[in-house]
Amino acid sequence: MKRALSLVLLAACSSHVFAADFGVGVSVQSNDAWIYVPIDVTPGLRIEPSIRFISSESESQTQSSSFGLPIATSVKSESDQRELAVGLFGKAPLGESVRLYYGARAAYIDNETKQRISTSFQTVEDVIEEESSLDGYRISPTLGFEYLINEHFSLGGEAEWFYQDLDSDISQSDVAGTANLKSNGTATRLIVRFTF
């Protein structure tokens, strides 16, 4: 009986998802790389998975002197950050082309960084290698509006308050350590969405 009830509930939920309106959205801010997949399950409910991936590399070299002898320092770093999130929002019409949405996003964050610092003094080279990883979560109560340009395109603006909790593992040459980083604050973004 329980199994049959589970199958009926799964079929009912699946039919809502198959009848839902799907789309894709992007943040239009240059410092934000989120890609959104809005799923309007009903006229008053939206589920919005999102993903962000940022990869960066940097390399710098400096020259200085000590007692008239040259010292060369080079720093090379690589960083990869991945975030997977899902948002659950209620929607309410404010006018013919404007909707309000409210709810929250929850995200998983994973960041890996490698850094190599090399210092050369005459014929001696000192190398320090550091690796660090961060992982944790962010919860963001969110309030936004959406202006419907036509039946497929919309422009949205949203504001959120976030709480973030990350655990860090750091290894530097022969030293290792851990840390817990907690932060909170506010963020805003503009999102362009296209619904199929």
Side-chain angles (χ1 to χ4, degrees), residues 3 25 35 37 49-50 99 104 126 129 140 150 180-181 194-195:
R3 188 172 193 179
I35 298 174
V37 182
S50 54
R99 291 187 290 209
D126 184 32
E129 293 188 348
S140 309
N150 60 35
N180 182 256
L181 310 170
F194 175 79
T195 305

Side-chain angles (χ1 to χ4, degrees), residues 14 21 63 71 75 83 106 144 168:
S14 297
D21 292 331
Q63 299 284 336
I71 299 174
V75 178
E83 295 185 47
S168 173

Side-chain angles (χ1 to χ4, degrees), residues 97-133:
S97 299
V98 180
R99 291 187 290 209
L100 175 76
Y101 60 93
Y102 51 89
R105 297 184 192 276
Y108 170 72
I109 302 166
D110 180 39
N111 188 322
E112 295 178 5
T113 303
K114 294 180 181 179
Q115 190 171 45
R116 185 178 193 273
I117 303 170
S118 172
T119 305
S120 299
F121 180 71
Q122 290 187 319
T123 58
V124 178
E125 182 180 22
D126 184 32
V127 176
I128 298 173
E129 293 188 348
E130 178 180 296
E131 292 185 16
S132 64
S133 63

